[in-house]
Amino acid sequence: MTTVTSSLSDDQRAILALWYEVNASLSAYHKLITSFGYPQLAWQAKVEAWKQLGIHHTHLKRHEQPEQTLANIEKIHQALIEGRYGLLFADDSDYPAQLSQIYDPPPLLFYRGNSARLHQAQIAIVGSRKPTAHAQKITFDMAQYLAQAGYIITSGLAMGVDKRAHLGALAQTDSDYQGRTVGVMGTGIDVNYPNHRDQLFTKVIEQGGCIISELLPHTQPHKHTFPRRNRLVAGLSLATIVTEATIKSGSLITARLTSEQGKQVFAIPSHIDNSNAEGCHHLIREGATLVYHPQQVLEDVYGQLDYNQGAYRAANATNSNNYSNITQTSDALETKVKANLIQPTDQQPSSEIKPARSTVVVPEHLAIIYEQLDWHGQDLDALVSVTKLAPPQLIGQLMELELMGLISEQGGRYLRV
């Protein structure tokens, strides 16, 4: 973890006080700063002055209790001293420059782990909390490939696609590429939600990744905290990939915010009757870039890096080595890819994304079975019913297709790969 100063300046205490008293409300905080000019002046102002600005009555009540505010600041200060988490303010040189460019940047960020990751070029991967097996594999492979190419994979630490994205980024055999992930929380920095995520948090931090939150410590999950988290996922990243999402998925919020920030949205297509991917198909229809291999993402993002080269050089002024890893030429990266530097891990023996086949060649005697398979998967009973083949013959032909790398078996269901 980056070294944390043992003391907070008066301005930083005032920012924390305001952030606590407005309960991390961005609109209320910015209204106070705009009206009073400086955090200390805003915090020292009388309750009546706040009331005239239309500040919510619950915020006014907290402002009437400065003793409680100071007690909470002291708790945060003590946690900083003990190294339980770190804290970045918007005017710090270590604050991620790309967040300063969004419409409503947070005045502070709590973090755990390696905050240097926040200054490296990032690509967001988001999607369903209940992805299909195929989407889980695609997500893991995409993240592993892009992390090996030098990018940081940013996501929201949720179950499903988010988790697979983080794990894919962490699945690097070369120590130079480990820890290339940033997780953005929709809770306080010290809240493990849901409880089983603490193992993922630990893995991210121990391998050199970073976890951040703009919310105050102890903040519990709420329906409003996750959409605001999504804007940070989008804000930190050069582009967003949606690997699988329903039409009502929160991932579409991240995609919309990415587009509003002038960045590119990528979406992975799926079978047309896959309701779990309806959100991706909607995004493609609305103008998102269809991709089926991470190299396509890299080619488009290179253009963004060239366009924003000055901004990213400034953001990485103290991390020039990290920046050079990202801004290598496409020819150099292509050489790396062709050299098969992305190796599958022991835990994920088939995690390498292979170039997409232009044409799938299926032997004639296996065509009937292959045509019955999709990307959702069919169980053996369903295939026996539709193909009219005897089970031993059917199983033998399924094994042939699997050995050819055309299908896979997951949980008793056979699906195309």
Side-chain angles (χ1 to χ4, degrees):
M1 179 178 290
T2 302
T3 303
V4 178
T5 55
S6 59
S7 62
L8 294 166
S9 69
D10 290 342
D11 277 344
Q12 289 172 339
R13 286 179 176 273
I15 292 169
L16 274 172
L18 292 176
W19 199 233
Y20 165 74
E21 291 181 354
V22 302
N23 195 28
S25 166
L26 287 158
S27 59
Y29 178 87
H30 290 301
K31 183 182 291 186
L32 289 167
I33 295 299
T34 300
S35 299
F36 293 99
Y38 297 96
Q40 290 191 63
L41 292 178
W43 188 42
Q44 292 166 2
K46 301 295 184 182
V47 173
E48 189 60 32
W50 280 33
K51 190 173 183 180
Q52 290 177 2
L53 294 174
I55 302 299
H56 196 274
H57 68 89
T58 57
H59 305 336
L60 298 177
K61 186 175 181 179
R62 277 188 289 270
H63 192 50
E64 290 174 336
Q65 302 172 327
E67 302 83 5
Q68 185 62 45
T69 300
L70 291 170
N72 277 279
I73 293 175
E74 190 52 42
K75 289 179 181 178
I76 291 173
H77 184 205
Q78 188 59 38
L80 294 174
I81 292 173
E82 295 173 2
R84 281 183 271 160
Y85 48 74
L87 183 56
L88 299 173
F89 291 89
D91 59 355
D92 289 344
S93 59
D94 288 339
Y95 187 88
Q98 56 271 43
L99 280 189
S100 300
Q101 301 169 19
I102 68 174
Y103 171 72
D104 48 0
L108 52 82
L109 288 173
F110 295 92
Y111 71 90
R112 295 167 61 194
N114 181 9
S115 63
R117 297 299 185 201
L118 301 174
H119 302 282
Q120 297 172 292
Q122 300 168 51
I123 295 176
I125 300 181
V126 297
S128 171
R129 281 180 167 81
K130 296 180 179 179
T132 60
H134 182 66
Q136 290 185 51
K137 181 180 185 301
I138 288 294
T139 301
F140 185 97
D141 291 352
M142 281 262 181
Q144 187 180 29
Y145 191 108
L146 294 171
Q148 183 69 56
Y151 288 89
I152 307 302
I153 304 303
T154 300
S155 197
L157 293 165
M159 296 303 295
V161 164
D162 287 14
K163 181 177 180 180
R164 298 300 293 171
H166 291 301
L167 291 177
L170 295 171
Q172 307 295 332
T173 56
D174 189 332
S175 60
D176 291 339
Y177 292 94
Q178 289 182 353
R180 291 181 176 270
T181 191
V182 168
V184 185
M185 302 178 68
T187 63
I189 193 69
D190 54 354
V191 176
N192 287 332
Y193 171 80
N195 291 335
H196 53 267
R197 280 201 309 182
D198 56 352
Q199 293 182 353
L200 177 59
F201 292 173
T202 300
K203 189 169 186 177
V204 169
I205 293 167
E206 287 182 347
Q207 289 197 21
C210 186
I211 294 172
I212 65 169
S213 175
E214 66 177 325
L215 302 172
L216 290 158
H218 310 307
T219 300
Q220 296 300 311
H222 189 273
K223 64 180 180 179
H224 299 302
T225 60
F226 294 102
R228 65 183 291 174
R229 169 205 64 183
N230 294 346
R231 90 186 193 290
L232 299 185
V233 172
L236 284 166
S237 306
L238 284 166
T240 293
I241 305 170
V242 184
T243 56
E244 186 177 71
T246 64
I247 197 68
K248 295 183 178 180
S249 171
S251 303
L252 269 64
I253 297 176
T254 309
R256 174 178 58 80
L257 293 168
T258 300
S259 181
E260 289 176 356
Q261 292 170 13
K263 303 170 184 175
Q264 195 162 359
V265 177
F266 300 96
I268 306 294
S270 182
H271 205 270
I272 59 173
D273 62 356
N274 179 7
S275 60
N276 223 38
E278 195 172 345
C280 289
H281 296 154
H282 171 76
L283 289 173
I284 293 168
R285 183 177 173 83
E286 293 297 308
T289 303
L290 184 155
V291 290
Y292 50 87
H293 194 281
Q295 184 62 30
Q296 298 162 337
V297 176
L298 294 177
E299 290 167 358
D300 282 5
V301 171
Y302 283 137
Q304 288 191 46
L305 278 173
D306 290 339
Y307 182 78
N308 297 306
Q309 189 172 17
Y312 265 85
R313 286 195 186 281
N316 288 276
T318 57
N319 297 281
S320 58
N321 290 336
N322 294 330
Y323 182 81
S324 65
N325 289 337
I326 301 303
T327 56
Q328 58 188 297
T329 64
S330 56
D331 289 342
L333 180 59
E334 187 176 353
T335 300
K336 276 187 171 184
V337 173
K338 289 180 177 178
N340 257 344
L341 288 184
I342 304 174
Q343 298 296 331
T345 65
D346 293 338
Q347 293 78 14
Q348 299 290 336
S350 61
S351 62
E352 180 181 349
I353 289 187
K354 300 177 179 63
R357 301 181 183 91
S358 57
T359 304
V360 175
V361 180
V362 181
E364 185 176 351
H365 71 289
L366 302 176
I368 294 177
I369 297 177
Y370 186 78
E371 288 171 1
Q372 302 303 319
L373 298 175
D374 54 24
W375 289 270
H376 301 295
Q378 302 286 340
D379 62 29
L380 198 59
D381 290 340
L383 289 172
V384 167
S385 176
V386 73
T387 63
K388 309 302 182 185
L389 294 172
Q393 183 183 4
L394 175 62
I395 291 172
Q397 293 188 10
L398 287 169
M399 288 181 64
E400 283 189 66
L401 287 169
E402 193 168 2
L403 289 170
M404 293 174 66
L406 298 177
I407 69 169
S408 66
E409 185 272 330
Q410 296 181 11
R413 299 175 70 85
Y414 295 87
L415 60 156
R416 295 188 186 186
V417 298

